[in-house]
Amino acid sequence: MPEPPKGTGARAALRSSRPQRDLAEPAYAADILEEADEHSRPYVVSNAPELPPEDKTDPGQSAPPYDGPKWLAHVPAHSPTVLGIIVVGCAVFLSALLSSSGVGLLGTLLAVVSGTVLVARELRAAEQSPGFTERMPAVLMTPEAAATATAVMVALALRALSPGVLPLLMVAGVGLVAHDQYRKVIAGEDGVGAYFEPRQLLAMPRLLGLGGVAVCLLALFAPWGTAKLDLGVPDNAPVPQGPPELRVIATQRPTDDILYSYGGGVTHLRGWDLPASVVVELALLAVLALLALRPEVERPSWTRYLPAGAVALSLAFAGLNMRLLPGPFVFVFGLGAVGFLAVQHLRAARAAELPPRQYEEEVEEEG
C-alpha cells in the first residue's frame, strides 16, 4: 500500500491515544473505517479549551434568575404593588359576594381603574405583558397618574374602615400599595413629591381648611340615618302553632328609642354608607392637594374654582341627607371652615391676575 501523506502538527495532536496500526500487518475492515472516521473530523488546535455543549433550548432570551424576597417570587413583575392590588381585589370581591359593607359600586369601579393603571405600570417596568401595556394610553403611564391612583386607593381604604376581617384585608392591601408607590413615584428624585410642600397646610388660613376637611371626614363615620333590616318575616305573619285567625298586629315603633331599635331590625347608617360619599371625600382631598402645591408649580386656570366646587358638592350632599342626627350637623360645621378658605383662595387667585389698582377698585365697588 502507498505510504500515507505526513500530517501537520495540529493534526497529529488530534490523533487518538489508541496505538496506530502497523502498515505491514494485514488491514481489517473495522480498522480502515475507524481511521477514515478520524481523518474526516475537523482540525482543532490541541491546546484550545473545550467549549461546553450548546444549549439550543435557551437562545439567551430568558430573564435572569430572581433573587429578591421569597414572598414576591410568584407575583407578576415581583412587585409589592401588584400583590397589594390582588389583596384589594379579593377584599372587594368577597365584600360584594357576602353583601357586606364594602366600598360600594362607585368605589369598586374606582378600585378597578386605579388598580389597572398601577398594574400596567409595574408590568411595563418589568418588561412583562407588552401586549397589555402597549394598549394603555400614555397619559396613564406617567408618575402623576400613578400617584393619583394611589391616592384613590387610600381614599377607598378610609371609606372601608370598620370592624371586620374584610376591612382589615382592604387596609392591608392598600397599605402595601401606598408604601411601594410612595417609594417609586412620590419620594423619588423624579417623583411628584417635588410638586408639594405639605408644611404649607400648617399656616393660617390653610390650617383652618385642613381642620375643616378632617372634621368632615370624621363626621362621615357618625350616624346619618336609620334603615330597617329585612328579616324576611312580614308584620302580619301568622303565629306558628296557632289558629289562622290569630295574627300579629302591625305597630309603628319609634326608631330613635334604643329599647326598640336594638335588635329589632333597625340599624344606623354611617355617612360612608350613603351614595356619592366617595365623591365628596375625593373632592375634599383634592382641595388639600391643591393647597399643598408649591407656589412655583403651574396651575390650570380652572383650579381656582376647585375649592368652591368641592364645597358646593359637599353642601348638596349634606342637604340631601340631612337628618336630626350628629353626623350631618358636624359635617356642615367642618364644611363652613372649608368654605371660608375657598372664598379666600378664589379672591387671591383673582388678585394675582388683575393689576393691583384695578383689583382695589373692584373690591371697593363690591363693598
Side-chain angles (χ1 to χ4, degrees), residues 11 25 57 98 119 169 177 181-182 236 256 277 281 284 304-305 310 332-333 348 357:
R11 185 179 180 87
E25 297 179 359
T57 61
L98 300 177
V119 170
L169 190 65
V177 173
Q181 291 300 309
Y182 179 82
N236 59 347
D256 56 346
S277 60
E281 177 194 10
L284 294 176
R304 75 176 74 175
Y305 305 106
V332 172
F333 176 77
R357 185 173 181 180

Side-chain angles (χ1 to χ4, degrees), residues 273-361:
D273 299 327
L274 301 175
S277 60
V278 178
V279 178
V280 172
E281 177 194 10
L282 293 177
L284 294 176
L285 293 179
V287 173
L288 294 183
L290 178 64
L291 297 177
L293 281 176
R294 294 180 181 271
E296 62 271 14
V297 176
E298 184 179 358
R299 298 167 175 81
S301 59
W302 56 267
T303 55
R304 75 176 74 175
Y305 305 106
L306 178 61
V311 171
L313 178 64
S314 303
L315 189 60
F317 170 79
L320 292 175
N321 300 283
M322 182 61 65
R323 300 290 187 276
L324 293 177
L325 290 170
F329 288 97
V330 175
F331 183 85
V332 172
F333 176 77
L335 196 60
V338 184
F340 174 78
L341 181 62
V343 173
Q344 295 293 326
H345 179 79
L346 189 60
R347 296 182 64 178
R350 188 177 62 176
E353 292 184 355
L354 296 177
R357 185 173 181 180
Q358 184 178 356
Y359 176 71
E360 292 176 0
E361 293 177 354

Side-chain angles (χ1 to χ4, degrees), residues 9 43 47 67 78 113 131 133 165 198 208 211 214 226 239 264 269 286 302 309 325 353 359:
Y43 299 130
N47 57 357
D67 56 352
H78 308 295
V113 175
T133 57
V165 178
L208 185 63
T226 56
V239 178
L269 292 177
W302 56 267
L325 290 170
E353 292 184 355
Y359 176 71

Side-chain angles (χ1 to χ4, degrees), residues 139-152:
V139 68
L140 297 180
M141 295 290 101
T142 58
E144 291 79 6
T148 303
T150 303
V152 171

